[in-house]
């Protein structure tokens, strides 16, 4: 007799993801101790060895809540008990104050930096993330509300850099049911029910209201739309990366005249890539920031600069777009 249906669905999703790796590769599961990531870790522990892979885990202590160190230690014990090896427990410092995009964005940036460090230190081929179909729908709805464009409407990619999201097609309820079937006891982060966070309001207010008005299936439809848009977004990102090499100035900065000649869909993506390369946290960079940079290129009338997250400023100087930290000098157009 096979595993319970929920467990089988999660394992199948993870098994499909693992097919790209070579025998002996190490793959890590990022786990917070919540139901989604516990189900992911258990599935990796089961499927990894059967695919000829080494399966490990990593948890991150953000230090933002009382008892977080004890919870991180408990997650480490659970991951080890599942048979994952190695298991890393990392502590991060989450910066506060302006320029960090708010507490959620700052925590996300610190977490991804820690996961990247864990992958580098262990030589892992990839880090699996436990974002579910429900998370994807929430991301799309938030992007739509913020007017963030195609990138946000395309949601979270299944793969980017060392990260893989094998559960984007699996519902949150299925993941919790899988934990129950396996006897795993997830930790429910109280911040996931705090209406001070926009994502929580989307989860418990906006999406249920949409389901009530439009009928069931809104979550699945939003996630499906994200999957369809993702292919378009990837093509545009690739085109922007190729154009970025052409418009970068030989003496540093970015040539405003060449940027201005690019189609808007490509130009704004080049600007975003440039800002991130200059040190802006990706999660804190909004469409408004990109619009301000774009105005320096296409609507130049002597404006001084555009303030960006992470203490970065974009300014136009002698026909080039420059990114600086600190107090920039008065630019000369």
């Amino acid at each position: 007799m096979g595993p319970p249906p929920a467990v089988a669905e999660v394992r199948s999703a993870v098994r499909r993801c693992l097919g790209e790796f070579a025998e002996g590769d190490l793959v890590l599961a990022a786990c917070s101790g919540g139901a989604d990531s516990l189900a992911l870790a258990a599935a990796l522990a089961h499927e990894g060895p059967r695919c000829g892979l080494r399966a490990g885990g990593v948890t991150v202590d953000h230090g933002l809540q009382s008892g977080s160190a004890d919870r991180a230690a408990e997650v480490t014990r659970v991951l080890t008990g599942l048979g994952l090896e190695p298991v890393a427990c990392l502590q991060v410092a989450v910066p506060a104050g302006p320029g960090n995009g708010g507490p959620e964005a700052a925590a996300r940036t610190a977490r991804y930096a820690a996961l990247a460090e864990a992958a580098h230190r262990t030589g892992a081929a990839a880090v699996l993330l436990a974002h579910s179909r429900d998370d994807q729908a929430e991301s799309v709805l938030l992007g739509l509300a913020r007017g963030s464009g195609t990138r946000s409407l395309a949601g979270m990619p299944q793969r980017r850099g060392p990260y893989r999201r094998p559960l984007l097609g699996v519902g949150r309820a299925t993941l919790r049911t899988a934990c129950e079937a396996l006897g795993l006891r997830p930790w429910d982060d109280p911040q996931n029910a705090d209406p001070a966070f926009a994502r929580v309001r989307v989860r418990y207010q906006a999406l249920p209201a949409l389901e009530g008005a439009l009928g069931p299936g809104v979550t699945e439809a939003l996630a499906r739309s994200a999957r369809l848009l993702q292919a378009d977004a990837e093509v545009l990102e690739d085109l922007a990366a190729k154009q970025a090499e052409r418009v970068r100035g030989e003496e540093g900065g970015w040539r405003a005249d060449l940027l201005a000649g690019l189609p808007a869909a490509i130009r704004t993506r080049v600007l975003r890539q440039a800002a991130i390369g200059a040190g802006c946290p990706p999660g804190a960079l909004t469409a408004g920031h990109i619009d301000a940079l774009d105005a320096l290129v296409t609507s130049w009338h002597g404006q001084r600069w555009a303030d960006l997250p992470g203490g970065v400023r974009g300014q136009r100087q002698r026909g080039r777009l420059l990114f600086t930290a600190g107090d920039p000098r008065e630019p000369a157009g």
Side-chain angles (χ1 to χ4, degrees):
M1 187 171 70
V7 175
E9 183 177 347
V10 179
R11 288 177 177 175
S12 177
V14 170
R15 184 166 60 250
R16 287 194 297 270
C17 172
L18 298 180
E20 70 172 282
F21 302 110
E23 185 173 355
D25 279 350
L26 172 64
V27 178
L28 303 177
C31 184
S32 66
D36 297 1
S37 58
L38 274 181
L40 171 69
L44 177 62
H46 182 271
E47 295 294 334
R50 288 166 174 77
C51 294
L53 304 174
R54 294 181 293 139
V58 56
T59 189
V60 178
D61 174 16
H62 298 83
L64 296 176
Q65 301 178 39
S66 175
S68 64
D70 291 338
R71 281 191 293 274
E74 175 59 24
V75 172
T76 301
R77 287 192 289 272
V78 171
L79 295 179
T80 301
L82 288 171
L84 297 173
E85 174 62 35
V87 173
C89 180
L90 306 176
Q91 291 184 319
V92 298
V94 179
N100 295 296
E104 282 185 286
R108 185 187 309 112
T109 299
R111 178 169 61 254
Y112 276 97
L115 294 176
E117 171 60 25
H120 176 73
R121 192 169 63 203
T122 61
V127 179
L128 305 188
L129 306 176
H131 297 111
S132 69
R133 181 174 60 208
D134 299 76
D135 293 314
Q136 185 73 300
E138 292 161 10
S139 293
V140 173
L141 200 55
L142 281 167
L144 182 64
R146 292 167 177 165
S148 300
T150 307
R151 165 180 286 275
S152 289
L153 296 182
M156 296 173 285
Q158 288 191 332
R159 52 184 297 164
R160 176 172 291 162
Y163 305 112
R164 303 293 185 272
R165 294 182 173 91
L167 305 181
L168 289 179
V170 181
R172 188 177 290 139
T174 298
L175 296 169
R176 185 167 289 274
T177 300
C179 285
E180 293 172 355
L182 294 170
L184 298 172
R185 299 178 59 185
W187 171 66
D188 292 318
D189 186 345
Q191 288 190 344
N192 288 336
D194 185 349
F197 297 101
R199 182 175 290 274
V200 174
R201 296 194 297 273
V202 166
R203 181 174 303 174
Y204 293 109
Q205 298 175 28
L207 273 172
L210 285 173
E211 295 272 1
L214 302 176
V218 171
T219 295
E220 291 80 357
L222 287 169
R224 183 168 60 252
S225 295
R227 186 175 68 253
L228 295 172
L229 285 168
Q230 187 61 232
D232 295 347
E234 288 175 357
V235 170
L236 290 171
E237 291 292 334
D238 287 343
L239 289 173
K242 293 175 181 176
Q243 290 296 329
E245 296 300 319
R246 186 177 70 86
V247 301
R248 188 188 294 272
E250 294 181 359
E251 298 178 358
W254 304 80
R255 286 186 53 180
D257 60 335
L258 296 180
L259 279 168
L262 295 176
I266 303 299
R267 183 176 64 249
T268 53
R269 284 168 170 80
V270 172
L271 292 173
R272 187 177 191 277
Q273 292 174 7
I276 292 172
C280 293
L285 201 58
T286 68
H289 294 128
I290 303 304
D291 286 344
L293 289 175
D294 198 43
L296 292 173
V297 174
T298 62
S299 302
W300 171 247
H301 51 78
Q303 59 266 46
R304 295 178 65 183
W305 56 65
D307 284 317
L308 306 173
V312 177
R313 279 178 171 171
Q315 59 177 334
R316 179 162 171 163
Q317 204 170 57
R318 293 185 295 277
R320 293 177 299 157
L321 185 65
L322 305 174
F323 293 89
T324 60
D327 297 324
R329 294 175 299 173
E330 186 78 25

